[in-house]
Amino acid sequence: MSYVTVKDIARIAGVSVNTVSRALNDKPDINEETKKKVLEAAKKLGYVSNKSALSLKRQKSYIVGVVIEDNANPFWAEVLKGVEATAKAYGYHVILANTARNYETEAEGIKMLIERRVDGLLISPVQERYDDILNLKKYEIPFAIMGRHVEGLEVPMVYDDGIRGGNIATEYLIKQGCKKIAFVGAQSYNTASIERCQGYKKALQKNGIQVEDALIKTGGIEIEGGYNSVMDLVASHTEFDGIFVYNDLMALGVIKALKELKIKVPEEVKVIGYDDISYSSFICPSLTTMRMKKFEIGEIAFKMLFDSNEQNKDEVVLHSDLVIRESA
């Protein structure tokens, strides 16, 4: 396995090894134009500084890096609990990097963790691009993806079967008498949202209900996204009597919007979420939702790095369960 060296950078930048070293170490005795040329060459080659000690002889740090979109999100907080509990059992510590769903922040977080000499990485990718994850393959460091299913990436991943879950959720709304069911989803590139929408469409088609584009809203992932989606549906005069929501946070926004519009839940519109975060049983009405195995995602993902029983698994697919409460 080969790694990018200062000699590689010097060759690409057309400067001496000594100049590359001074530029990478931000020495004052080098002009800005040369420094810029060196840094651009280093970035292009995917250079990681020597302090990361990425070699066959690297010492164990007993630290695992975790890259997620937001540990304040109750879903990811539960996943992180699974990672931390398992890490502790295996004698490891955890360093966390939040991405705020920004690709550049994700790439910087991964680089920072490598430089901190972590023994492994667990990543929930932003999904706008995968360059940073594909680049990891050239380093001697185990890593796994949590909570997302990415076709063709060929890296270890643990995720929920969103097609199955979306189908179950929508089937339940249909059985409750709903005939005009909306889907409120996340960003268009979010694979979990894509798969849940596929499950939604599958259930509609199975029951002879036409899939209507006007009833499918995507774009948000937080409370505001759910709220705005309902307002958009109403503003466009789209009729609906049920809503399947990508996650529970968005479902909180959906219910808030319906209440403001004086639309009764579940009498006039039934709502079902996904995740079963801790808030879901305490809102009014309490939220019917799909309970994901959040702790297990973190637990299994960690074991995929270091447990011989899990290391050879390319994918682990979990199944969510329907939790019936008051909203549907």
Side-chain angles (χ1 to χ4, degrees), residues 190-204:
N190 183 309
T191 55
S193 181
I194 291 169
E195 290 177 358
R196 291 170 201 179
C197 188
Q198 288 174 346
Y200 154 84
K201 292 177 179 178
K202 180 179 177 181
L204 294 181

Side-chain angles (χ1 to χ4, degrees), residues 33-310:
E33 188 62 33
T34 302
K35 183 192 292 185
K36 181 181 178 183
K37 187 194 301 184
V38 169
L39 295 179
E40 286 178 350
K43 183 177 180 181
K44 180 180 179 181
L45 293 171
Y47 174 76
V48 177
S49 62
N50 286 339
K51 65 183 176 180
S52 62
L54 291 172
S55 70
L56 292 172
K57 298 179 180 178
R58 70 195 296 272
Q59 298 291 316
K60 272 187 170 292
S61 64
Y62 289 95
I63 297 173
V64 168
V66 179
V67 182
I68 57 176
E69 60 188 45
D70 181 12
N71 68 312
N73 181 316
F75 172 82
W76 290 114
E78 287 296 319
V79 172
L80 190 57
K81 283 182 181 179
V83 173
E84 290 176 324
T86 314
K88 184 177 181 181
Y90 280 68
Y92 281 80
H93 295 283
V94 173
I95 297 179
L96 176 67
N98 278 308
T99 67
R101 291 179 293 279
N102 177 276
Y103 172 79
E104 298 300 332
T105 305
E106 174 184 297
E108 284 298 316
I110 290 174
K111 180 183 175 186
M112 176 273 292
L113 290 166
I114 292 175
E115 291 181 347
R116 295 299 185 277
R117 298 177 60 187
V118 296
D119 291 334
L121 282 168
L122 300 175
I123 307 166
S124 172
V126 172
Q127 297 197 293
E128 286 183 276
R129 291 161 54 194
Y130 296 106
D131 301 20
D132 53 346
I133 294 173
L134 292 171
N135 191 48
L136 272 173
K137 290 185 176 183
K138 70 182 179 184
Y139 300 121
E140 189 177 297
I141 180 169
F143 67 96
I145 289 178
M146 302 186 298
R148 297 289 184 264
H149 174 217
V150 188
E151 288 282 357
L153 205 56
E154 296 182 354
V155 301
M157 58 187 78
V158 52
Y159 59 93
D160 174 78
D161 186 343
I163 296 177
R164 173 186 175 275
N167 182 66
I168 290 172
T170 309
E171 283 271 11
Y172 179 74
L173 288 174
I174 293 170
K175 289 176 182 176
Q176 294 302 107
C178 298
K179 299 186 183 303
K180 300 279 286 184
I181 302 170
F183 173 74
V184 172
Q187 304 95 330
S188 59
Y189 51 77
N190 183 309
T191 55
S193 181
I194 291 169
E195 290 177 358
R196 291 170 201 179
C197 188
Q198 288 174 346
Y200 154 84
K201 292 177 179 178
K202 180 179 177 181
L204 294 181
Q205 292 165 348
K206 178 184 173 181
N207 287 275
I209 300 174
Q210 184 178 353
V211 176
E212 299 180 40
D213 290 341
L215 285 168
I216 299 175
K217 295 289 181 180
T218 59
I221 199 170
E222 303 288 353
I223 293 173
E224 294 81 4
Y227 180 92
N228 292 334
S229 291
V230 170
M231 292 302 184
D232 287 346
L233 285 168
V234 172
S236 64
H237 304 290
T238 304
E239 294 183 8
F240 58 94
D241 55 9
I243 306 178
F244 168 40
V245 194
Y246 165 71
N247 68 15
D248 288 359
L249 277 183
M250 295 181 77
L252 299 185
V254 164
I255 289 175
K256 175 177 172 57
L258 292 172
K259 283 184 176 181
E260 288 184 9
L261 294 165
K262 308 298 183 186
I263 298 173
K264 295 179 181 179
V265 179
E267 292 86 354
E268 296 176 89
V269 174
K270 302 185 190 302
V271 179
I272 184 166
Y274 213 105
D275 290 348
D276 193 31
I277 60 175
S278 55
Y279 305 152
S280 301
S281 61
F282 292 99
I283 64 170
C284 186
S286 57
L287 184 64
T288 296
T289 185
M290 296 298 297
R291 177 177 290 161
M292 282 185 65
K293 296 177 172 63
K294 302 173 284 296
F295 185 95
E296 287 86 345
I297 288 175
E299 176 186 35
I300 293 169
F302 183 93
K303 289 181 177 180
M304 291 177 91
L305 300 181
F306 305 116
D307 190 316
S308 59
N309 293 322
E310 298 286 347

